[in-house]
Amino acid sequence: MDSLNKKGKMTPNFNTTPPKTINDMVTDQMRNNPCCFFCIMKEPDTSLRRSCLATCFNEMSVINRDDQQHVLVLSGLWNIAMAQPDDPEFISLGIFDCMVSLLEKGTNDRSWLFRGQNIYIPYYAAHVIGSYTMNKVEFAEKAVVAGVIPPLMELLRGKISWVEQRVAVRALGHLASYERTFEAVAAYEEELVRLTMNLASTCLDQVYTKFVGVKDENKRSKYHCDLLTRGVGGLEMENRKAEEWASQLQCWSLYLLNCFACKERSLNLICNQGFLVDLCGMWGGLVNHSSPAGVGLIRILCYSKYGRQNISESKQVLENLCHLSRSSDDWQYMGIDCLLLLLKDIDTRYKVIEIVTMFLIDLVELKSLGDRSNLGETITKTLLLDYKQSKFRIKNSHVLKALQQTWELKEERRKREKTMSVEKIEEKRVLVNLIKQQANHVFWLGDVEEAIKMYNEALDTCPLKLRKERMVLYSNRAQCYLLLRDPDAAIRDSTRALCLSNPTNSHGKSLWRRSQAYDMKGLAKESLMDCIMFINSVTTTTTNKRVKIPYYAARMISKQMEATWLFVNAKSKFTRSDDDYEISSNEDDHQLECDEMMRQMMMMMMQKKSIASGLSTIIEEPLIAKGKNWREMERARRRNKTAFNVMARSM
């Protein structure tokens, strides 16, 4: 307004500025108040809140100040995107353009990235993109239009670190999963596939050498520690979260490759023999049990002729699938699916039949597995496909004998027993129980070989309809083979017993016996899964409120947790001294980490297997106290050989 001069006259005020609009006031407040975003979110007036948020996103894109504002706002956006990934409000206000701008700053301006707390920004920005493109193709299309793919590719190339690679591959996987945005991702197809394959194969080594293997807290990246634990927890918590994130990084990389394999794209790259072998060792484990990991991609490849051809040429991949098909792993059905697909293809059938037959014949009496019914019948029909002609093409006498036994069991014997009366079946039941009791008596007299012969006789006599009786006979014979140190025969019989159990894979004694047999063969993952399922069977059948895990089973889990630790191979590669990292080889420290990890993972797995919530009291003391060495562990195992015999007494 005008002002008065010394003579009292009005003079115009040329410095007067126009009144500020709401948006101007919001912008000023944002520049001075880093909490402004959170105040805006509380604004009850919808139109005012949207206007302020749009201004907020625009200011974040263009302001080049080095304060904490961006990190605080992005942290809030990260929480909102995780909790409400389908909310369209932020999408319509330009959040993707804002995230792209921040990612481009982080990947192109290193000096800006390392000032203040800007190092956190690319991680949060990529995570927000991944969360909002997770469920809705409409959001994914808007993200592509905003230009999210180029900066995400920069992160995938390793422009910053493995932490940013994790969220980048997650976001790209979501974009590649939609038909309408796949081609935008596929514009980088060859480079993307090669980068992702390399990331899946090497990420565990990277995380171990750059983080988990660095025992000195002061030498660890501070922002990695903060992101992993959100500022809560010490070294142990950081290691556990790093293991979880490393597993996710690997599994999300495989998911992105799945998107191309489903469309039979880049199969010439993905079906590299070395990479197929690597896939066999990629296991989500107990920290990421919801992902099929490597076997999921192998199964997708088995749906294509090119994929089947390459898989059939790798003995290591076939053996891995065979072991999976006879395990209690949640992904057992995927291993069976892969083997059946290979057998049904005439071009690969006779390349694989001599390997897979000796495994699948143990599953022919399987009734159901998950939502798959009559799976044993499907396996039988596939094995006996062109049976009479195939006899001339198979050279292995053991395979021919196995197929002949399957034919007699599932075809000829079934026909003979089809007309058997109820009275005759009951007579057979009585006779079988009598033979079993005699076999048990002979077993306890120490004549294990004679006991096996008597169990054989009982199995030949027992009608196929008496599934429970046959289950016990197979399981008891498996115990005999264990004592004779024949793990292969023990695995065969315990697998057959588990196929006959109801539900499948629920017979506790067979699970424990197969766990021991797998341990003899050095198959730690299979042994671990069986042991966990055995503990599940023990705890679900007890009537006591306070459940206790048998000591011998806890020792087995401790041993196999050590052998299947996600970083076990990385640790073996990098235990020697390194100029850049101090990697500890102290067994006691690592064993303590494994013990604590075992507690957490067992709880997670047990909950998944529907164990009571009060299971937290199961393990009262650490399985291996600090300072014990492996020699003491071995002595403890020897002292507990009696536990092995305890299981046999209930035969």
Side-chain angles (χ1 to χ4, degrees):
M1 55 184 295
D2 294 340
S3 59
L4 294 173
N5 59 17
K6 292 182 179 180
K7 297 182 179 181
K9 294 184 178 180
M10 301 289 292
T11 58
N13 187 354
F14 296 102
N15 295 324
T16 300
T17 57
K20 292 185 177 181
T21 65
I22 292 177
N23 284 348
D24 291 333
M25 290 187 286
V26 167
T27 301
D28 290 343
Q29 186 180 8
M30 283 175 50
R31 285 173 176 159
N32 299 314
N33 184 6
C35 298
C36 178
F37 169 79
F38 304 100
C39 298
I40 294 172
M41 291 302 298
K42 297 177 182 178
E43 172 59 50
D45 187 321
T46 303
S47 60
L48 178 59
R49 184 180 69 250
R50 288 177 58 83
S51 175
C52 294
L53 286 172
T55 304
C56 176
F57 293 150
N58 183 61
E59 290 293 329
M60 286 179 66
S61 301
V62 298
I63 293 175
N64 197 27
R65 296 175 54 182
D66 297 322
D67 55 33
Q68 199 176 1
Q69 175 185 342
H70 293 342
V71 176
L72 288 173
V73 173
L74 280 169
S75 178
L77 290 172
W78 171 80
N79 274 300
I80 294 170
M82 289 285 286
Q84 304 170 23
D86 300 336
D87 189 339
E89 182 176 31
F90 289 172
I91 311 302
S92 63
L93 298 176
I95 192 171
F96 288 134
D97 294 301
C98 176
M99 297 302 107
V100 168
S101 176
L102 293 173
L103 284 177
E104 288 175 345
K105 285 181 184 178
T107 54
N108 297 328
D109 189 344
R110 303 290 284 183
S111 62
W112 176 86
L113 181 66
F114 292 112
R115 288 203 301 267
Q117 295 192 345
N118 293 340
I119 189 66
Y120 296 87
I121 290 176
Y123 170 83
Y124 282 124
H127 205 299
V128 167
I129 293 171
S131 295
Y132 278 121
T133 56
M134 184 165 47
N135 299 329
K136 289 187 174 292
V137 64
E138 298 84 1
F139 294 179
E141 286 181 302
K142 290 185 177 181
V144 169
V145 171
V148 301
I149 295 179
L152 289 175
M153 284 296 299
E154 286 295 303
L155 295 182
L156 188 66
R157 294 180 185 115
K159 198 69 175 284
I160 302 179
S161 76
W162 65 271
V163 169
E164 288 75 22
Q165 284 179 308
R166 169 179 168 269
V167 287
V169 77
R170 169 179 178 258
L172 289 167
H174 294 328
L175 295 173
S177 66
Y178 301 112
E179 288 289 339
R180 281 144 60 176
T181 54
F182 174 80
E183 289 302 329
V185 180
Y188 300 85
E189 183 169 353
E190 183 175 353
E191 182 191 12
L192 180 66
V193 170
R194 290 185 184 278
L195 284 171
T196 310
M197 287 171 60
N198 182 66
L199 188 59
S201 297
T202 63
C203 63
L204 300 185
D205 292 348
Q206 286 187 49
V207 177
Y208 184 80
T209 56
K210 295 179 179 179
F211 193 84
V212 176
V214 182
K215 300 302 180 182
D216 187 346
E217 296 181 48
N218 297 323
K219 293 188 177 181
R220 288 189 169 186
S221 170
K222 183 181 182 303
Y223 94 95
H224 283 178
C225 296
D226 291 341
L227 289 173
L228 284 164
T229 64
R230 310 292 292 174
V232 179
L235 205 66
E236 184 181 307
M237 177 68 75
E238 290 171 4
N239 287 345
R240 190 152 58 240
K241 289 297 293 183
E243 181 175 0
E244 181 184 332
W245 281 24
S247 178
Q248 291 173 351
L249 172 55
Q250 187 175 72
C251 291
W252 286 337
S253 299
L254 295 174
Y255 177 76
L256 179 53
L257 293 174
N258 268 329
C259 296
F260 287 89
C262 285
K263 295 176 169 43
E264 298 191 20
R265 302 274 293 259
S266 296
L267 293 186
N268 60 318
L269 299 176
I270 299 172
C271 289
N272 174 277
Q273 287 295 313
F275 183 66
L276 291 178
V277 172
D278 287 345
L279 286 177
C280 297
M282 296 181 194
W283 179 50
L286 302 185
V287 294
N288 197 11
H289 53 75
S290 61
S291 171
V295 70
L297 180 53
I298 290 174
R299 182 187 182 217
I300 294 297
L301 295 174
C302 282
Y303 282 111
S304 69
K305 196 165 192 67
Y306 186 87
R308 290 192 296 271
Q309 284 285 84
N310 284 272
I311 289 171
S312 67
E313 293 170 2
S314 175
K315 183 179 179 181
Q316 188 170 341
V317 175
L318 292 175
E319 289 179 346
N320 182 267
L321 292 172
C322 289
H323 291 312
L324 179 62
S325 70
R326 293 196 308 185
S327 74
S328 54
D329 193 296
D330 287 343
W331 310 113
Q332 177 187 6
Y333 74 91
M334 286 195 175
I336 296 173
D337 284 353
C338 292
L339 298 179
L340 293 179
L341 288 167
L342 292 166
L343 285 172
K344 289 176 181 177
D345 186 342
I346 193 63
D347 293 327
T348 57
R349 178 178 178 82
Y350 294 99
K351 290 182 180 180
V352 305
I353 195 166
E354 294 191 3
I355 296 176
V356 306
T357 296
M358 302 308 293
F359 292 82
L360 288 181
I361 57 170
D362 299 332
L363 305 172
V364 295
E365 292 192 84
L366 186 62
K367 268 199 170 180
S368 63
L369 191 63
D371 59 353
R372 287 165 167 73
S373 58
N374 299 319
L375 191 54
E377 293 300 316
T378 303
I379 293 171
T380 302
K381 290 177 182 177
T382 306
L383 284 173
L384 298 179
L385 190 67
D386 297 329
Y387 169 61
K388 294 181 179 179
Q389 292 79 8
S390 65
K391 290 192 289 187
F392 301 102
R393 299 186 63 174
I394 299 173
K395 299 178 182 179
N396 190 311
S397 60
H398 296 293
V399 174
L400 287 172
K401 183 180 179 181
L403 289 173
Q404 178 65 30
Q405 290 173 344
T406 304
W407 175 268
E408 292 174 356
L409 177 72
K410 299 293 286 184
E411 297 294 332
E412 296 180 359
R413 186 170 173 179
R414 180 183 288 176
K415 289 179 182 177
R416 291 197 305 268
E417 295 181 2
K418 193 172 184 180
T419 57
M420 190 178 290
S421 65
V422 176
E423 293 78 10
K424 187 66 174 177
I425 291 176
E426 285 304 312
E427 289 178 13
K428 293 274 189 180
R429 188 197 301 271
V430 172
L431 180 58
V432 166
N433 285 333
L434 180 61
I435 298 173
K436 185 189 78 170
Q437 290 174 11
Q438 292 173 344
N440 290 351
H441 179 68
V442 170
F443 174 85
W444 284 113
L445 290 176
D447 194 347
V448 180
E449 290 86 352
E450 183 62 26
I452 290 175
K453 292 178 182 178
M454 299 186 77
Y455 287 129
N456 291 342
E457 181 185 353
L459 282 166
D460 291 338
T461 306
C462 189
L464 297 179
K465 291 182 180 179
L466 301 180
R467 292 176 65 87
K468 185 175 180 180
E469 286 76 5
R470 289 173 62 78
M471 175 191 74
V472 174
L473 292 170
Y474 275 125
S475 186
N476 287 1
R477 195 171 71 176
Q479 178 67 37
C480 295
Y481 285 127
L482 272 179
L483 293 177
L484 294 176
R485 309 296 295 177
D486 186 350
D488 290 312
I491 291 169
R492 285 197 299 271
D493 276 358
S494 52
T495 298
R496 294 180 184 196
L498 289 165
C499 288
L500 291 165
S501 64
N502 185 26
T504 303
N505 295 332
S506 63
H507 187 234
K509 295 173 188 174
S510 299
L511 286 164
W512 174 241
R513 288 161 183 167
R514 193 170 68 175
S515 177
Q516 294 173 89
Y518 275 133
D519 180 50
M520 290 181 188
K521 288 180 66 67
L523 296 171
K525 182 181 77 172
E526 289 77 9
S527 176
L528 174 64
M529 299 306 295
D530 279 348
C531 195
I532 290 175
M533 290 295 288
F534 163 66
I535 292 172
N536 179 52
S537 70
V538 170
T539 55
T540 52
T541 55
T542 186
T543 57
N544 296 330
K545 291 183 179 179
R546 186 177 178 83
V547 180
K548 290 186 179 181
I549 292 179
Y551 180 76
Y552 49 84
R555 299 296 297 186
M556 178 70 83
I557 286 184
S558 180
K559 176 183 178 181
Q560 305 306 1
M561 286 289 294
E562 170 82 11
T564 59
W565 185 44
L566 193 68
F567 298 115
V568 67
N569 292 328
K571 183 176 185 291
S572 66
K573 292 178 186 177
F574 300 103
T575 48
R576 291 183 296 273
S577 60
D578 191 283
D579 292 336
D580 299 320
Y581 305 100
E582 291 184 5
I583 300 174
S584 171
S585 60
N586 185 283
E587 289 184 352
D588 292 338
D589 289 346
H590 176 57
Q591 186 59 49
L592 287 172
E593 290 175 10
C594 287
D595 289 342
E596 181 58 30
M597 234 182 303
M598 193 200 80
R599 290 169 178 266
Q600 298 293 330
M601 293 179 182
M602 276 185 58
M603 287 301 303
M604 180 168 49
M605 194 64 180
M606 300 288 189
Q607 289 167 1
K608 185 173 182 291
K609 300 296 183 184
S610 302
I611 287 192
S613 59
L615 207 57
S616 59
T617 60
I618 286 179
I619 304 177
E620 301 175 17
E621 297 295 335
L623 297 178
I624 299 176
K626 186 173 182 179
K628 284 192 176 181
N629 55 35
W630 288 106
R631 189 171 298 171
E632 290 176 86
M633 289 173 59
E634 183 60 28
R635 284 200 295 269
R637 244 189 309 273
R638 290 172 185 168
R639 287 197 301 270
N640 283 278
K641 276 190 176 180
T642 53
F644 179 91
N645 296 326
V646 168
M647 293 302 299
R649 290 174 187 164
S650 55
M651 293 171 64

